[in-house]
Amino acid sequence: MTPRPIPTILLAGKPVAAEIKTGLAQRINELKEQGITPGLAAILVGENPASQIYVRSKEKAFRIAGCHSETFRLSGDSPEAKLLKLIEDLNRDPRFHGILVQLPLPDHIDTKKVLYRILPEKDVDGFHPVNLGKLLEGAPGFIPCTPHGILKILEYYKISVKGRHAVIIGRSNIVGKPLFALLSQKSKTGNATVTLCHSATPEIARFTRQADLLIAASGVPGLINGSMLKAGVDIVDVGINRIADDSAKGYHITGDVDFESVRGIANSITPVPGGVGPMTITMLLYNTVTAAENLFDSQN
């Protein structure tokens, strides 16, 4: 007898983001009553189309929330020293509680040197080694926005990770490594057994078939399909890949998971677009508000 398909649940990010923003609204109002408007400085180097879209979306989200956001644009051939000097100026600027450097940077600029120049207390992306160290220690300051958003999705939809086998595909400092630390920690959103796979992992399906929770963050369109999974797995698809087509836009967005092939197998999955994407900017707003609160608390 053929097994009956599982009714796969879609883990949409928008309702999760809306709930978080509702909670942030009161915190923002309380800060404004003290004469503080949470502010973010975003730095964009070059003309990367995807980066420009993200920065515009961020500006809109901050404006709607009643926060201050300003984008500092540098040409793609700007010297590294100019970017470092801008960051130092923003570190001292009291209007900005958070600083974001939009990645990727041009090849002639040392990304680590740039990210390390941001003060840890203004590092709302959570990429500074001080914040990454605190995260690994189990006492996080600022959690990188995408991993933080993933945890919020799992909490909202009551998907427990405790005692489960979580398999992460991708070892970036932006998603894979922070998630490895977060899911394995002794916490209400942790206590999982975590396997981290990457481009050098042989026979990756051997691990994905063991997953109770699968996080795909490889940047490879359709890398994961239904034949690589066991029934009942929960999937978080972090991939946002542009695929050229004949539509009016000239492309469509797809994830790292072959969505149609996992329907009926997975218990749940984040859609692409509309899953993890809405959470990233929301958690950037969350971290910026927290940074403003931290500064106020330190001065009182």
Side-chain angles (χ1 to χ4, degrees), residues 47 50 64 89 107 175 179 193 198 203 213 224 246 256 276 278:
E47 305 293 333
I64 291 172
D89 291 342
D107 291 341
V175 180
L179 263 181
T193 298
H198 45 75
E203 300 179 39
L213 171 65
I224 306 299
D246 296 328
D256 292 351
V276 175

Side-chain angles (χ1 to χ4, degrees), residues 6-88:
I6 295 171
T8 302
I9 301 165
L10 295 185
L11 309 175
K14 285 185 178 180
V16 191
E19 182 175 88
I20 293 170
K21 289 175 183 176
T22 298
L24 286 175
Q26 181 177 349
R27 294 167 60 185
I28 293 167
N29 287 335
E30 289 173 355
L31 283 166
K32 286 187 171 183
E33 288 173 0
Q34 302 298 325
I36 299 169
T37 299
L40 175 74
I43 302 173
L44 181 60
V45 184
E47 305 293 333
N48 183 293
S51 294
Q52 292 189 59
I53 291 171
Y54 176 76
V55 167
R56 285 197 298 270
S57 298
K58 168 204 60 65
E59 289 173 339
K60 180 180 178 181
F62 272 67
R63 183 174 64 253
I64 291 172
C67 295
H68 176 56
S69 175
E70 190 171 338
T71 301
F72 297 82
R73 290 176 167 82
L74 299 178
S75 63
D77 59 357
S78 295
E80 182 182 275
K82 184 175 182 179
L83 175 55
L84 295 174
K85 175 63 167 57
L86 173 58
I87 291 172
E88 289 171 356

